[in-house]
Structure formats: structure tokens, C-alpha cells
Amino acid sequence: MNFELKHGLIWITFELIYEGNSVVIDNCIVDTGSAATAIDIDLVNFNYGKSAIVKRLFGIGGGTQEVVSQNVGKVIIGGKELNNIEIEFGVIHAELGINGFVGNDILSRFSIAH
């Protein structure tokens, strides 16, 4: 897995298999303070007819946002494939060009050795 440090944040790229289509999601930050992984909804051909759960996220500083959580076929990070992962889709794109963030739901499946 390749990391890049910029703007004081750790950035990664991963591949998402959503509705049978492969989408490379770049410019994502590693967010150890987040329980879940979320990406900008505009990066996929979102299926509004698929079963989903609406959630409200609470950020540091009191910000809130509603997202739609759906099960995706697969997430591939650094060659490791994770199947049947819940991803939250919402309006994520920010000033710094963040397309999403990878939270502890995915990070907890990796071990780091040196």
C-alpha cells in the first residue's frame, strides 16, 4: 500500500468494485478517527434503487452530514481484496480535493509490520 503525505494528511488510492464496475478512487485520506469509510457519491454511477441505509455523520466542530451507506462488491487496497464492505456515499469533495476517507472499518483489516 502506498501512502503520500501532503497538507499534513496521509493520502491513498484504492479500487472499488461497485455494481460490477471498477472505479479507482484517488485522493483519499486515511482517517483513524472515523469508524467508517466514505467516498464522494459523484465518483460512481450510484444505484439509488439498491437497498441502503441513511446515516448522519457528526464531525469535529459540530458539523453534520447525511450519507447513504451501501454494501459494495469489493474494495482493493495495496493488492488486498476486501469483500462485501459497507461504504458511505455523500458529498465529500472538499477544498483540499479530498474524494473520500478510509476509516477504521477498513484500516482494522490490515497489519503493519516493519
Side-chain angles (χ1 to χ4, degrees):
M1 180 181 324
N2 293 323
F3 297 97
E4 181 181 353
L5 183 64
K6 63 181 179 183
H7 306 295
L9 302 169
I10 301 169
W11 299 73
I12 65 170
T13 296
F14 67 91
E15 182 180 358
L16 174 69
I17 307 300
Y18 180 76
E19 297 295 289
N21 298 308
S22 171
V23 182
V24 174
I25 310 295
D26 61 357
N27 296 322
C28 293
I29 59 170
V30 173
D31 188 351
T32 59
S34 176
T37 296
I39 65 167
D40 195 288
I41 197 167
D42 292 331
L43 298 176
V44 298
N45 185 13
F46 190 77
N47 181 352
Y48 289 92
K50 182 177 177 178
S51 177
I53 299 171
V54 176
K55 297 180 179 180
R56 179 169 287 168
L57 302 181
F58 297 93
I60 295 174
T64 63
Q65 180 187 104
E66 290 185 348
V67 295
V68 180
S69 180
Q70 286 185 340
N71 189 284
V72 301
K74 189 179 296 187
V75 171
I76 304 166
I77 300 178
K80 182 170 181 167
E81 297 184 5
L82 307 171
N83 295 306
N84 299 315
I85 300 290
E86 288 286 324
I87 298 288
E88 295 174 350
F89 296 91
V91 179
I92 306 296
H93 196 75
E95 278 182 26
L96 296 175
I98 298 170
N99 288 328
F101 51 89
V102 178
N104 284 321
D105 58 336
I106 288 180
L107 295 174
S108 66
R109 296 178 185 222
F110 289 86
S111 63
I112 298 175
H114 53 282

